[in-house]
Amino acid sequence: MASRQYDLIVIGAGPGGYVAAIRAAQLGLETAVVEREHLGGICLNWGCIPTKALLRSAEVFHLMQHADEFGLSVKEPSVSLDAVVKRSRGVAKQLSGGVGHLLKKNKVTVVMGQASLSAPGRVSVEGEKGKEELTAKNIILATGARARDLPGLEADGQRVWSYKHALAPPHMPKDLLVIGSGAIGIEFASFFNTMGANVTVVEVMDRVLPVEDAEISALARKQFLKQGMNILEKSTVKKLDRSKSRVTAHIETGGKLVKQHFDTVISAVGIVGNVENLGLEKLGVKVDRTHVVTDEFCRTGVAGLYAIGDIAAPPWLAHKASHEGVMVAELIAGLKPHPVKAESIPGCTYCSPQIASVGYTEARAKELGFAVKVGRFPFIGNGKAIALGDAEGMVKTIFDAKTGALLGAHMIGPEVTELIQGFVIGRTLETTEAELMQTVFAHPTLSEAMHESVLDAYGRAIHF
């Protein structure tokens, strides 16, 4: 069988893979990308993008329900779940088509099928047209990850859902159990709670959103309870008894085993890397707990083989995958890119209220031996937030007391997933408190809370 020769083959066309392929093509590399299912991957088709479309619908519905607070009148707002989902799927479809256009524009060859590494530098693809061989000196693994299934809690698509089922739900939940309070679990809990479901969230750790700063988690919990959610922390779902119309959950909480009935369960207990059937064992690629082990430049230790995105190390975020893709493409092309630093990658959760962070939490900074200065500013002191009718939450900043370096920033409140980028840029530029204090923030904007938080860390806050 004749093989097709390339400079680079990318396996997987998600936000890591397709970006890597485009950047490689821009740098003059003959590039092919192999995708088994959807251009754009999970993020674009069944993750980041469609969930945001759902959450936007929930946000509009919430505003309709509170129209009178803005001097407006809306008569009996209601939800058409089918229409909400249809809009979400339409957004995903539009963007998936856009990825295909970008690949074609950049003269990247797209091969649809299941890829495996048959030998170093050789990729075998099983597609609709049969089997074909591709060869390249360099290969990037960008196969992503999928939802983790715990024994006894496996999704069935009927009463127990994964994130994929929740994006195209067969029914509107009335009594919903969400297992896991990371970003995925909390976003779905927030969406269905706003749409009218009775939501219970079970978290095995001692607080919801356990990767966030403890103060942010505490404020989030307070808001979720205020919105009517039931939060069970330090709790575990031991078993699910399923029937046609309901699920009985056996929950260990507060030292007791209790039974609760739900009509729907969403399991959001993490991800596992898509490392199977790729031929990694044969090539000697090291895999740790379903994720490929790499160095700071995403090299696997096997010559010419790289791994980026969710198949590799955390944080498992689309934007991290994209930047790794660019970095590896530039490395292969002979440039000298900087490695992607995990502590400078922003994390965003699009629940209500929104949550965003970058860098170290206060606890982690202290663990690392930093003497810290911490600033806080509540949105209730921000004029724009009050005008928006959305003044719950705060901005928290953490500085190295010795150097003034910005160690971390943590936010909860209106549009903080957009605001966080200011602090991300600050960390990239190695900004100190002095530059941030001297920066002029427009008035009236939500971003003024960022400025005030910095000022507060040094005892100079004006409006608090």
Side-chain angles (χ1 to χ4, degrees):
M1 182 193 308
S3 62
R4 295 157 67 183
Q5 178 72 40
Y6 297 92
D7 297 317
L8 170 65
I9 299 168
V10 183
I11 302 176
Y18 87 76
V19 169
I22 289 172
R23 183 64 183 131
Q26 289 174 345
L27 293 167
L29 301 177
E30 188 73 25
T31 305
V33 62
V34 183
E35 172 56 46
R36 69 179 181 183
E37 197 170 7
H38 304 291
L39 295 179
I42 288 295
C43 173
L44 196 155
N45 292 280
W46 293 101
C48 324
I49 299 301
T51 53
K52 303 312 154 294
L54 292 183
L55 287 159
R56 175 60 172 163
S57 292
E59 180 183 12
V60 172
F61 184 55
H62 172 78
L63 289 170
M64 290 168 67
Q65 291 174 308
H66 295 268
D68 60 322
E69 295 173 15
F70 298 88
L72 306 173
S73 176
V74 176
K75 293 183 179 179
E76 298 180 16
S78 61
V79 173
S80 169
L81 187 60
D82 288 345
V84 168
V85 170
K86 183 179 179 182
R87 177 180 182 273
S88 170
R89 300 313 310 150
V91 169
K93 184 178 179 181
Q94 178 182 342
L95 288 168
S96 182
V99 171
H101 170 73
L102 288 171
L103 291 168
K104 185 176 180 180
K105 175 186 171 186
N106 285 278
K107 297 180 173 58
V108 174
T109 301
V110 176
V111 181
M112 298 302 294
Q114 175 72 46
S116 61
L117 301 169
S118 50
R122 187 173 291 270
V123 177
S124 177
V125 183
E126 285 274 5
E128 290 182 1
K129 299 176 182 178
K131 196 170 187 177
E132 59 181 311
E133 293 284 330
L134 314 177
T135 59
K137 186 178 178 181
N138 297 287
I139 297 170
I140 298 176
L141 300 173
T143 54
R146 62 188 184 276
R148 182 186 299 279
D149 264 337
L150 294 181
L153 309 183
E154 296 91 349
D156 55 37
Q158 299 303 312
R159 292 294 165 186
V160 182
W161 299 346
S162 68
Y163 64 82
K164 198 167 183 179
H165 301 125
L167 281 167
H171 59 266
M172 175 64 193
K174 182 180 178 185
D175 295 295
L176 172 66
L177 169 64
V178 177
I179 308 172
S181 74
I184 294 172
I186 282 297
E187 285 182 2
F188 280 119
S190 188
F191 170 74
F192 284 110
N193 185 72
T194 302
M195 291 301 195
N198 300 313
V199 176
T200 295
V201 177
V202 171
E203 172 55 52
V204 68
M205 304 295 283
D206 62 353
R207 55 191 174 90
V208 292
L209 296 158
V211 302
E212 299 294 342
D213 187 89
E215 283 187 79
I216 301 300
S217 290
L219 281 171
R221 184 181 190 275
K222 183 179 177 182
Q223 286 304 304
F224 297 154
L225 292 174
K226 188 176 177 181
Q227 293 165 13
M229 287 191 207
N230 181 30
I231 307 286
L232 300 177
E233 295 157 326
K234 292 193 285 188
S235 302
T236 307
V237 178
K238 309 297 287 187
K239 188 172 71 164
L240 298 175
D241 295 331
R242 312 170 196 222
S243 68
K244 190 174 181 180
S245 60
R246 74 176 188 180
V247 178
T248 301
H250 300 247
I251 305 171
E252 193 175 86
T253 183
K256 298 178 181 178
L257 191 66
V258 299
K259 292 182 183 180
Q260 290 190 34
H261 304 299
F262 303 91
D263 61 64
T264 312
V265 177
I266 295 176
S267 179
V269 290
I271 62 169
V272 293
N274 293 323
V275 294
E276 302 90 351
N277 306 316
L278 288 172
L280 302 184
E281 306 85 355
K282 186 168 53 179
L283 295 182
V285 176
K286 188 175 180 183
V287 177
D288 179 26
R289 288 169 289 182
T290 78
H291 296 277
V292 174
V293 177
T294 66
D295 68 6
E296 63 178 350
F297 287 103
C298 298
R299 295 176 291 214
T300 65
V302 175
L305 184 63
Y306 304 81
I308 66 173
D310 287 2
I311 194 180
W316 296 305
L317 300 167
H319 42 284
K320 175 253 195 185
S322 295
H323 270 264
E324 286 179 336
V326 169
M327 176 189 71
V328 172
E330 293 181 350
L331 192 67
I332 291 168
L335 304 181
K336 294 182 178 179
H338 294 287
V340 179
K341 295 180 180 179
E343 63 271 18
S344 292
I345 298 170
C348 297
T349 305
Y350 299 81
C351 50
S352 180
Q354 292 183 10
I355 295 163
S357 59
V358 66
Y360 302 127
T361 64
E362 182 180 356
R364 181 59 179 155
K366 290 176 178 177
E367 282 173 16
L368 292 171
F370 290 101
V372 299
K373 283 186 175 290
V374 179
R376 301 170 182 84
F377 191 78
F379 277 111
I380 193 65
N382 178 271
K384 178 68 178 293
I386 294 169
L388 289 174
D390 193 0
E392 297 286 352
M394 75 165 180
V395 178
K396 177 178 180 179
T397 45
I398 301 156
F399 294 90
D400 181 347
K402 293 179 181 177
T403 67
L406 176 63
L407 298 176
H410 307 271
M411 306 175 170
I412 179 170
E415 299 304 329
V416 296
T417 57
E418 298 291 339
L419 296 178
I420 192 64
Q421 199 59 32
F423 286 133
V424 177
I425 293 169
R427 278 185 57 82
T428 301
L429 297 176
E430 299 182 351
T431 299
T432 68
E433 94 290 355
E435 287 92 4
L436 289 170
M437 286 184 185
Q438 290 162 16
T439 299
V440 178
F441 288 73
H443 175 80
T445 63
L446 296 170
S447 68
E448 289 176 283
M450 299 164 63
H451 192 215
E452 291 274 8
S453 177
V454 175
L455 293 170
D456 182 61
Y458 290 82
R460 292 177 51 182
I462 302 295
H463 295 97
F464 178 54

